[in-house]
Amino acid sequence: MLIERIYDEDLAQASYFIGCQSKGEAIVVDGRRDIAVYQDLAAKNHMKIVAVTETHIHADYLSGTRELAAATGATMYVSGEGGPDWQYGFDAERLYDGDAITLGNISVKALHTPGHTPEHLSFLVTDGAFSDQPGYLLSGDFVFSGDLGRPDLLDEAAGGIDTRFEGAKQLFASLRDKFLTLPDYVQVHPAHGAGSACGKALGAIPSSTVGYERLYAWWGPYLAANDEQGFINELLDGQPDAHAYFARMKHENREGPAVMGKRAPLPELDAAAVVKGLEEDTLTFVDTRGNREVHRGTVARSLNIPAGKMASYGAWVVDPEKGKNPLVLLAPGREAAQEMWDHLVRVGIDNVAGYVTTLDGLPMTTPRLLQPEELDGFDAALLLDVRNRSEHAAGHIPGSAQLGAGRIMWHLDQLPEDGPIVTYCQSGARNSVAASALRRAGYDVVELDGSYAAWSASRLSAQS
C-alpha cells in the first residue's frame, strides 16, 4: 500500500493519496481543486485514480472531488449521513457508517463521526496485503493532533442557531463510541494542522496514534471520567473567529464546486492595458509583496495579499459572489503567477486575468501609517483591532474595538462612515491585508505602524 500526505501550508490542509500497488488503483481523500499533484502521483506510481471522496462538507476550502472525477473518470463517494439538511446536492455514491471502498488489497471503511459537522465521516484503512486489521484512520476534522474539530462553525458560518451544543455532544459520543474503541496502534492522519481555524489548538505534528491521543490530548481526562458537560465547556471555550468566507465554502461544497477543467497558462499583461483597466475599474490589482514593501509604495486601490497566503488571506478580501473584476497579480514570472492562481482557486477565486512582473508605469500611492507614539494624540473615528477575539481578550490597546480581518468586509455596517479608522493586528501583516481592502472600499484607513507589537514595545520603553 502507498499512502501520501499532500499538505498545503497556506490553508494548513492535508489531503491523502492512497494506492494499491498490486492493482495499480488509487483513491484521493479531501482533495483540492488544483489537481495536478494527484495526477502526478498517480503517473509516478503507475496508478489510476479510480475513486475520490471527502470526509465532510468543508468550510475552509473548496473540495476537488468533482474536479478530480471529471479529469480522471473516478467514482465520487460522499457522505449520506447527517439527515436531510446535510445531503450533498450533486450526484455521487453515498457512503454510510460501515460502508467500504475496496482497491485491490486495500479497504477504506467509512465511520460516521459527527460533531464537527453532522455528516462527517472518518476513514479506517486496512492494508489487506499486510494484515486483516485496520492500521490507519483518516480522521478529517474529527480528531487532530492534540485537538478536535470545532463544533461551532455551523453557528458561526452556516447560519445555525445554537447547533454547537448538539455538535459538542456528538463529538463526545464519536470519541467514546468510535475513536476510543480502536486499537492504540492505529495511526491517525487528520485533515488539518497548526494554523487552521477549524480548531483552537491544533498541533503541528502531521500524524498521531489513537493511543497517544487517548493518553495525552486535552480531552482524554473528560472521556475517562465520562464528564460530558466538562468536555463541552472546555471544547467551546476560546474557539477562534470563524472567517466569513466559510459560509460561501459550505454552500458551494454542498452544492458542488464548479468544475474548471484544464486551465490555460496565465498571460503576462501589458502595463498600458492594466492602467486602462484600473482607470475604468474593470480590473483589481493584487500586490503580493509583504506589508513592509507595500508601505513603501503600492498601486492605488490595490489589495495586499502576500504570495505565501494567497488562499487564506485572499478569501478574506475577495468575494467572487460580489466582486466581478478579474484580478491582476504581481509576480516575478509565469510559474510563480500560476502557483498563486492555484492557491486562489482553492477558495473559489477563479477569475484572474493575468500578471505583471513590475510596478513600472502603474499608478502608485503610499499607504498612511501612524507611529505608536502618535496614537494618543490622533483623532480617530475608530481604533480597530483586526486580530482574533482570543488575541484581543489576551491584551489590546485601550479603547479599541475588535473585528477579525477575516470578517471585516462582511460587517462594514460596524464601521463609521466618516473619519479615519486606525487599524492594527499583532505585527502588521494581517492589518495590511484588511486595510487595503477597506481603502479600496472607500474608507479612510490609517495603519498603526508595527501594530500591537510595536505599540507594546513603545509602552515598555516609555516606562523604563
Side-chain angles (χ1 to χ4, degrees):
M1 183 181 78
L2 171 72
I3 181 167
E4 291 275 358
R5 175 179 183 259
I6 299 92
Y7 195 68
D8 175 13
E9 297 281 355
D10 186 345
L11 291 166
Q13 183 265 333
S15 54
Y16 294 90
F17 180 100
I18 301 172
C20 175
Q21 289 138 321
S22 63
K23 196 167 184 181
E25 293 181 345
I27 182 172
V28 174
V29 181
D30 287 335
R32 64 199 196 206
R33 288 176 87 213
D34 53 311
I35 61 174
V37 62
Y38 312 111
Q39 294 172 306
D40 291 346
L41 274 171
K44 176 183 175 182
N45 292 281
H46 309 289
M47 293 178 178
K48 177 178 174 58
I49 298 172
V50 298
V52 287
T53 189
E54 55 194 63
T55 52
H56 64 294
I57 300 172
H58 298 284
D60 58 320
Y61 74 102
L62 277 192
S63 164
T65 294
R66 296 184 74 234
E67 197 74 38
L68 264 170
T72 65
T75 301
M76 291 186 291
Y77 297 88
V78 298
S79 176
E81 298 282 3
D85 292 338
W86 291 95
Q87 295 303 300
Y88 286 80
F90 57 91
D91 290 335
E93 296 291 327
R94 264 40 179 185
L95 290 173
Y96 298 90
D97 188 54
D99 288 348
I101 303 167
T102 302
L103 308 170
N105 295 313
I106 300 170
S107 170
V108 181
K109 181 181 177 181
L111 300 181
H112 184 214
T113 50
H116 176 66
T117 60
E119 82 293 347
H120 193 286
L121 299 177
S122 298
F123 293 104
L124 196 58
V125 182
T126 301
D127 181 3
F130 187 75
S131 170
D132 61 356
Q133 297 299 310
Y136 312 88
L137 181 73
L138 304 189
S139 58
D141 286 20
F142 169 34
V143 176
F144 301 126
S145 292
D147 201 9
L148 300 171
R150 58 191 296 182
D152 63 321
L153 278 184
L154 306 187
D155 290 349
E156 293 288 326
I161 300 175
D162 289 340
T163 64
R164 66 189 70 204
F165 303 108
E166 179 60 26
K169 289 181 178 181
Q170 289 178 337
L171 266 178
F172 188 86
S174 293
L175 288 167
R176 180 191 61 210
D177 300 338
K178 296 290 177 64
F179 188 78
L180 291 179
T181 64
L182 298 174
D184 281 351
Y185 59 75
V186 170
Q187 295 180 28
V188 178
H189 297 272
H192 290 290
S196 169
C198 291
K200 63 179 179 179
L202 280 71
I205 298 180
S207 65
S208 186
T209 66
V210 170
Y212 192 86
E213 295 303 305
R214 184 199 308 270
L215 288 173
Y216 300 115
W218 66 262
W219 49 264
Y222 293 103
L223 268 293
N226 197 30
D227 181 2
E228 182 184 65
Q229 191 58 53
F231 169 87
I232 291 171
N233 294 341
E234 179 64 25
L235 176 65
L236 295 178
D237 181 55
Q239 290 288 355
D241 291 5
H243 305 312
Y245 84 92
F246 282 6
R248 177 170 60 88
M249 296 293 96
K250 277 287 185 187
H251 172 74
E252 291 189 36
N253 279 324
R254 178 177 171 177
E255 298 307 313
V259 174
M260 300 178 294
K262 189 172 179 60
R263 290 175 288 148
L266 284 178
E268 183 174 359
L269 302 177
D270 177 73
V274 174
V275 170
K276 184 173 185 293
L278 295 177
E279 290 175 346
E280 296 174 352
D281 197 22
T282 56
L283 293 174
T284 297
F285 193 86
V286 178
D287 192 329
T288 62
R289 299 173 300 162
N291 59 299
R292 289 299 180 188
E293 293 174 285
V294 167
H295 288 166
R296 289 193 286 268
T298 187
V299 173
R301 300 191 69 241
S302 65
L303 297 174
N304 177 210
I305 309 174
K309 301 287 285 184
M310 292 296 289
S312 50
Y313 288 175
W316 292 1
V317 295
V318 177
D319 184 355
E321 293 181 341
K322 295 181 180 179
K324 303 304 180 183
N325 282 2
L327 305 181
V328 177
L329 308 176
L330 176 64
R334 176 167 293 170
E335 184 175 343
Q338 202 73 21
E339 183 177 354
M340 293 175 191
W341 192 20
D342 283 348
H343 282 242
L344 289 170
V345 301
R346 294 172 196 172
V347 289
I349 303 172
D350 302 351
N351 194 9
V352 178
Y355 69 97
V356 297
T357 60
T358 177
L359 298 174
D360 292 347
L362 302 181
M364 301 292 288
T365 189
T366 302
R368 284 180 70 190
L369 301 179
L370 186 70
Q371 298 307 309
E373 59 271 18
E374 299 173 322
L375 181 60
D376 287 343
F378 190 82
D379 185 17
L382 177 68
L383 176 58
L384 184 62
D385 184 342
V386 304
R387 299 175 300 165
N388 286 322
R389 287 182 302 236
S390 57
E391 293 176 282
H392 182 80
H396 57 268
I397 300 175
S400 61
Q402 186 276 332
L403 182 57
R407 300 179 64 84
I408 285 178
M409 300 310 295
W410 282 261
H411 295 277
L412 296 177
D413 59 320
Q414 298 183 26
L415 304 182
E417 295 181 1
D418 299 313
I421 300 171
V422 176
T423 60
Y424 72 91
C425 65
Q426 184 63 29
S427 63
R430 290 173 289 173
N431 189 36
S432 184
V433 175
S436 70
L438 289 173
R439 287 192 190 96
R440 180 168 177 79
Y443 289 87
D444 180 8
V445 179
V446 183
E447 295 175 59
L448 183 63
D449 196 20
S451 280
Y452 185 71
W455 178 85
S456 298
S458 71
R459 284 294 187 260
L460 288 173
S461 177
Q463 294 170 5
S464 61

